[in-house]
Amino acid sequence: MSDRVYIFDTTLRDGEQSPGVSLNFHEKLEIGLQLARLGVDVIEAGFPIVSRGDFEGVKMIAEKVKGPIIAGLARATRGDIDAAWGAIKVAENPRIHTFLATSDIHLKYKLQKSREQVLQQAEDAVRYAKQFVSDVEFSAEDASRTDFDYLCQVVERVIDAGATVVNLPDTVGYALPEEYGDFIRRIMERVPNMHKAILSVHCHNDLGLAVANSLAAIKNGARQVEGTINGIGERAGNASLEELIMALYTRRSMYEKDLGIEYKEIYRTSRLVSSVTGMAIQPNKAIVGKNAFAHESGIHQDGVLKERTTYEIMSPELVGLPKTNLVLGKHSGRHAFNERLKELGFNLNDEELNRAFTRFKDLADKKKEVTDHDIEALVKDEIWVIPERFKLQYLHFTGGSTVVPTATVGLMGGKGLVEEAACGDGPVEAACNAIDRITGLPGTLVDYKLNAVTGGKDAQGEVVLKVAVGNLTVLGRGLSTDIIEASVKAYVNAINKAAYEITKPDPDQVGGVVEANGNDDNGKNPG
Ligand code: KIV
Ligand code: ZN
């Protein structure tokens, strides 16, 4: 193979811009660490100017995630660049990613600036960022709808100013593969200093073409592709990295590009992002959907049994799908449990293992067969915890078609055990009302999903819900063989997250963080 394509992951920035997604530090860190295991080249950890939370999240990833380049996004202004640098400077390999829109439509309506002003601002921003760090990426927002000659000028000027990567996004997902490929080829041919920088692409999926457009760009000279795990992101999302990666691998004779990816981490990364963001993966989603490797038709099953490649173009094991769904039970020991955890990709420390094993034993008492899905759900439930301000001690409820549903809840907190009772439309609402009375943090249920972890009447129910507390929206998760209990645990988990976010101490060092708005706004929330 000849050259390398760099994978730039923006799950924590563009992905976090998905409607309703908001991640806390622990969740961001889990994703950041897993992206490093996956072997992505760049992690865009966030947009530090936007809020204190974003700043701190980026800073924590810069401190703790080793291996990939850590990028912080900044509009083309000094304040943004200062904040980005403040957050990423502790990284092993920091990158400032600054952007400015270049299409006439953005210049006229959003920026109210002339082409000359924007050209100058782009150059100034890159020069300014260069004072802090050698690795500077410039993105020409809405590049695919920008006047071609003008865009060439912008690209040339920012490379002269020191940009090491130039990104030409299809911000609104308007491009078509042939057209976008051709556009990249012409840029490569026309910009005289293009060889001094890496050409990057960043495609949105409004027409469902983000991956196809990115592949066309690679065919024509792009050497960095930006995208997100599971394709999450603004509106219809970004190019889905697992699809891009597997297209480049499966059709490697067409592309002849090397990647630094650890393929067997793909499935786990996808599951993690889905769990943490609460964005479910459609069953027929390529590569990581539940049905991606399932063969339903008899003819297909027969073919695969005779020779796998009759109907499978890649092996499920390659992307890390567990080979077998091994069943454990109440006689399984700690060693077998730990071995299975490792096979599923979880490396727990002793304390985490003890907690998970206790939960496993409790579950095995209630449920004859404990499957991989049960174990995965249980580890997520037990390990990914934030400090628990309130802990569910007990729950009692009554309901039915002829009585008013009532719940009594006992929560252990700073004031010891506090109990409350309340009524509601159903036992879940009754319990949530009782919890609101105890915590003094009334929540509004914005979204609620119940999923059976496995088949069977004794299956565990996993509840994922979104709760708005004031102007915060948090995700809660709960697991139990009793779905009312799972719901209540999820609600308590969400309230704990909200309490944690509301009361966590202010960081000392959040210089330059402002609310971005006003006329000099270059577009606080890019696509
Ligand atoms: O879609 C877009 O243009 C962006 C840029 C900030 C890279 O997200
Ligand atoms: Zn984008």
Side-chain angles (χ1 to χ4, degrees), residues 183-202:
F183 161 72
I184 294 298
R185 182 186 54 73
R186 288 190 296 132
I187 292 279
M188 294 292 292
E189 285 168 5
R190 175 79 92 76
V191 177
N193 54 0
M194 195 61 245
H195 61 284
K196 293 190 182 158
I198 290 173
L199 184 49
S200 169
V201 289
H202 173 117

Side-chain angles (χ1 to χ4, degrees), residues 89-102:
K89 64 181 172 202
V90 288
E92 251 175 11
N93 303 301
R95 171 183 295 179
I96 295 177
H97 177 193
T98 184
F99 73 97
L100 183 57
T102 50

Side-chain angles (χ1 to χ4, degrees), residues 13-14 169 171 202 204 234 238 526-527:
R13 199 277 298 170
D14 227 333
T171 302
H202 173 117
H204 278 268
E234 278 280 354
N238 289 61

Side-chain angles (χ1 to χ4, degrees), residues 58-166:
V58 176
K59 189 161 171 248
M60 184 193 48
I61 296 219
E63 272 162 9
K64 302 224 156 102
V65 178
K66 303 294 170 203
I69 292 170
I70 307 296
L73 187 67
R75 291 167 303 172
T77 64
R78 290 186 171 213
D80 274 41
I81 293 170
D82 289 341
W85 177 241
I88 59 163
K89 64 181 172 202
V90 288
E92 251 175 11
N93 303 301
R95 171 183 295 179
I96 295 177
H97 177 193
T98 184
F99 73 97
L100 183 57
T102 50
S103 65
D104 285 339
I105 191 164
H106 279 235
L107 264 60
K108 180 170 173 198
Y109 295 106
K110 191 178 79 176
L111 303 178
Q112 286 147 2
K113 286 189 173 159
S114 69
R115 284 187 181 178
E116 195 42 55
Q117 284 173 310
V118 164
L119 195 57
Q120 192 57 53
Q121 188 179 342
E123 180 186 335
D124 290 347
V126 172
R127 279 198 201 289
Y128 186 68
K130 258 331 235 198
Q131 296 180 338
F132 299 115
V133 63
S134 61
D135 191 354
V136 174
E137 172 167 341
F138 175 79
S139 284
E141 195 190 3
D142 207 17
S144 57
R145 294 193 301 168
T146 298
D147 175 80
F148 187 74
D149 291 336
Y150 175 61
L151 184 64
C152 289
Q153 265 181 288
V154 175
V155 174
E156 188 177 348
R157 281 272 280 273
V158 295
I159 295 176
D160 274 345
T164 40
V165 181
V166 177

